[in-house]
Amino acid sequence: MIADPRPAASLILLRRGGKHAHRGVEVLLVRRSPDARFMPSVWVFPGGRVDAADAGDEESAHLACAVRELHEEADIELPADAELLPWSRWITPEPVPVRFDTRFYVALAPPHSPPRPDGRETTDAQWFAPAGALERHRAGELDLVFPTIKHLESLLPYSSSAEVLEAARGRAVEPVMPRVVGEGDERRIVLPGEPGY
């Protein structure tokens, strides 16, 4: 039986340039607890399931969830007027037993907001340049999962946080549901438009 995807939200938080105006794109990743039942010790964007506390219509509840999870997992509080812009929507492939329909948003971090992991859900939190995080993953130093890798890759063309936000304002967001193909060691994940999808 195919599990229904649960509504979820995730926040791609962008670091401000500040005095370092030349600073390229940097995003916040948090490391999940090694005791977590789902994706232990993996580095992810802050996020989680939409729950009853996330009030409002469908979009408002997802936005509230993204803001709440950032505060819970990294102790960063976004101001009430923070701009959260839709970046993507990913649905977990059908064979996976725990599935999510996750809306990813991009937003700018408040000034002077060092991330602090909560020590329960998250054990570490750091700013990463997307290319640097991907390089460390290839070197076996940073444990990343497919959606995080793909979102980091989607940020590579941009040279600043402002460019990412500008791109988000004109971005058409269509749901993406990867597909698992092949058997055993040959299993791989493919995206819409790729061979074998």
Side-chain angles (χ1 to χ4, degrees), residues 9-130:
S10 198
L11 188 58
I12 301 170
L13 191 69
L14 302 159
R15 197 175 193 176
R16 288 173 181 268
K19 284 185 285 192
H20 312 283
H22 61 280
R23 178 188 280 156
V25 175
E26 288 186 340
V27 294
L28 178 67
L29 293 177
V30 295
R31 187 173 188 232
R32 293 177 54 79
S33 165
D35 302 325
R37 192 170 57 86
F38 183 66
M39 295 195 304
S41 299
V42 168
W43 288 84
V44 294
F45 299 108
R49 267 178 33 197
V50 175
D51 66 24
D54 304 316
D57 61 21
E58 192 179 14
E59 181 68 7
S60 300
H62 281 82
L63 288 165
C65 172
V67 171
R68 174 179 57 75
E69 290 285 348
L70 175 66
H71 186 241
E72 288 176 6
E73 295 181 356
D75 195 28
I76 294 176
E77 194 142 6
L78 290 182
D81 62 350
E83 185 179 30
L84 278 74
L85 298 164
W87 187 255
S88 68
R89 181 178 173 187
W90 277 54
I91 302 169
T92 311
E94 288 180 348
V96 179
V98 179
R99 301 181 65 215
F100 295 98
D101 181 345
T102 307
R103 298 184 191 195
F104 287 82
Y105 299 92
V106 292
L108 203 54
H112 315 299
S113 48
R116 297 181 188 89
D118 70 358
R120 190 174 49 83
E121 274 190 270
T122 58
T123 57
D124 201 352
Q126 293 180 37
W127 295 103
F128 291 92

Side-chain angles (χ1 to χ4, degrees), residues 131-155:
L134 292 166
E135 200 173 297
R136 288 183 61 185
H137 171 67
R138 284 191 291 271
E141 298 169 7
L142 206 64
D143 198 1
L144 301 174
V145 288
F146 186 78
T148 308
I149 292 166
K150 290 298 169 189
H151 281 86
L152 289 168
E153 288 175 355
S154 77
L155 298 168

